[in-house]
């Protein structure tokens, strides 16, 4: 099995020892991703854009996501993200889990991790 790693070049990848995305066995595994912004909604949008870029580089899209995990330090902040998530995944809803937990830095309000299936381009 071939494994392809897709780094983002972010500071935590080097310090912690991980990669933004790994393509293996027909799947794209995207690491927990935080976004930039002043609130949970802007960070959610930003994280999804970063994830979409990683998926694109791997040959997939957000429509190929089969599993998503949302991690938030305050579960009350999850509901304001629902419209964004519904817009993003509504036509192709993945299995999903939301976990309330501490994140690597208090400035981050949401972290998103996904697994996607590589599209079958053979026809």
């Amino acid at each position: 099995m071939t494994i392809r790693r897709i780094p983002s070049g972010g500071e935590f990848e080097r310090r912690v020892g991980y990669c933004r995305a790994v393509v293996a066995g027909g799947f794209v595994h995207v690491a927990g991703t935080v976004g930039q912004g002043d609130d949970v909604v802007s960070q959610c949008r930003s994280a999804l854009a970063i994830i979409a870029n990683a998926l694109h580089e791997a040959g997939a899209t957000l429509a190929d996501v089969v599993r998503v995990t949302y991690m938030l330090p305050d579960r009350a902040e999850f509901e304001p993200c629902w419209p964004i998530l519904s817009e993003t995944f509504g036509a192709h809803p993945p299995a999903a889990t939301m976990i309330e937990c501490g994140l690597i830095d208090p400035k981050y309000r949401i972290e998103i991790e996904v697994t996607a299936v590589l599209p079958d381009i053979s026809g």
Side-chain angles (χ1 to χ4, degrees), residues 6-121:
I6 302 170
S8 72
E11 72 168 292
F12 288 116
E13 285 180 334
R14 180 184 46 76
R15 289 172 58 194
V16 177
Y18 75 96
C19 199
R20 169 65 53 224
V22 176
V23 180
F27 291 94
V28 183
H29 305 274
V30 181
T33 303
V34 295
Q36 300 302 309
D38 295 329
D39 60 23
V40 69
V41 170
S42 58
Q43 288 184 21
C44 181
R45 285 189 194 283
S46 176
L48 288 169
I50 293 166
I51 290 166
N53 286 338
L55 290 171
H56 176 76
E57 192 169 337
T61 70
L62 289 165
D64 300 309
V65 172
V66 295
R67 183 89 178 113
V68 61
T69 303
Y70 306 104
M71 294 156 276
L72 296 91
D74 181 356
R75 66 178 173 250
E77 291 188 322
F78 190 45
E79 190 169 351
C81 297
W82 292 356
I84 299 161
L85 303 174
S86 179
E87 176 185 319
T88 301
F89 295 116
H92 308 280
T97 301
M98 191 283 292
I99 300 169
E100 184 177 41
C101 62
L103 300 181
I104 198 163
D105 187 311
K107 71 181 177 183
Y108 297 123
R109 307 310 308 155
I110 188 168
E111 183 171 337
I112 304 171
E113 170 187 85
V114 306
T115 301
V117 174
L118 282 174
D120 181 7
I121 58 172

